[in-house]
Amino acid sequence: MMSLIDGIARNALFKFDPETAHGLSITALKSGLVPGCRADRDPRLAATVAGLAFPNPLGMAAGYDKNAEVPQELMRLGFGFAEVGTLTPKPQPGNPKPRIFRLVKDHAVINRLGFNNQGHAAAHGRISSHRPNGILGVNIGANKDSEDRVGDYVAGISLFADVADYFTVNISSPNTPGLRNLQTREALSDLLGRVLAERDAKAKRVPVFLKIAPDLTEPDLDDVAAECLAHRLDGVIVSNTTLSRTGLSADPRAGEAGGLSGRPVFARSTIVLAKMRQKLGADMPLIGVGGIDSAETAAEKMRAGADLVQLYTGFIYAGPLLPGRIVRGLSRLCDQEKLSSISDLRDSRTTHYAAMAIPD
């Protein structure tokens, strides 16, 4: 029955272009038409990361709920936390349409949305009036035409400090020209210094995570890790979408510009995750993202060094009941491997992935 519901939902939405389908899925969640997850909470799946108590390690990544419209509804599907955004100070339409492309054979998506969102004020108003009962991440970015991009991130910290449980500083989207330059060491040092100074000036100390690209070289990762440790950052999210098209099947849409997400990015993002775990040490929280669409792939990210995991594209292909299936699958894994905590998976395959080269 569960797979039937997912199949019906997917087939209905896939009759529409991807951006229209996304809007319809948000509307369906708002309306209450999507059934929630009835799985009991399993204490073995709970995790405390950056001082926050997560009921389970599975989150919805930023990019789905761009305007903070349905974080509570996402948590009802079984997600242990939800991340909204990316949010910019001023509203912006993003790049011209069409800008989302399904690669169905590869269970992948290419997008070049460009931080389309309604801006800080609209999202802050929604969150303030309907604060979700659960852990809420706020993903912040910079306007395309900003004269002070770091200032845009500081503005996000300032405004959302009263409603966010954690922040994600997104400098890794490939769809805002020049944004990834903030990952260079000197620029990153300035960014983290200003962002954390603003966070520390607030009465409430909100953890700040940094979201990086999977396309960084090994020396780039060394620089990012050094700055994260020097600034005592609260955690790193690995990773955003990739510009690589390695391993895709023949599809005319594979040549579209933008970031690739879904199954093809799993190996690349997991290698980068494991390398960052080794560079950052055992204590820095890491969130693994990229290609997760099952309990097995979620567990593999944790074996490679993740404390928490997030998904998005898998949700598009597997349907709204996927989070519940993953959570129940992780509980079964605890049974099978006699784990007292799902966090016991961490690091058992870090060395394996970290020894691999990042694909071209």
Side-chain angles (χ1 to χ4, degrees), residues 69-137:
E69 297 177 87
V70 289
Q72 188 67 73
E73 289 79 0
L74 289 169
M75 293 178 203
R76 290 187 186 124
L77 295 181
F79 287 108
F81 61 108
E83 188 173 311
V84 300
T86 298
L87 295 164
T88 57
K90 297 184 296 184
Q92 61 181 24
N95 294 319
K97 298 178 182 180
R99 52 194 182 179
I100 309 177
F101 307 90
R102 299 185 192 104
L103 279 60
V104 177
K105 289 183 180 178
D106 296 299
H107 277 234
V109 166
I110 292 172
N111 93 80
R112 53 172 180 263
L113 287 161
F115 287 172
N116 58 309
N117 73 107
Q118 297 167 6
H120 282 180
H124 187 270
R126 287 193 186 97
I127 299 169
S128 298
S129 59
H130 296 93
R131 183 66 175 82
N133 181 24
I135 293 178
L136 177 71

Side-chain angles (χ1 to χ4, degrees), residues 17-34:
D17 70 87
E19 195 153 354
T20 299
H22 172 262
L24 290 172
S25 72
I26 294 283
T27 299
L29 282 172
K30 284 182 177 178
S31 70
L33 292 174
V34 182

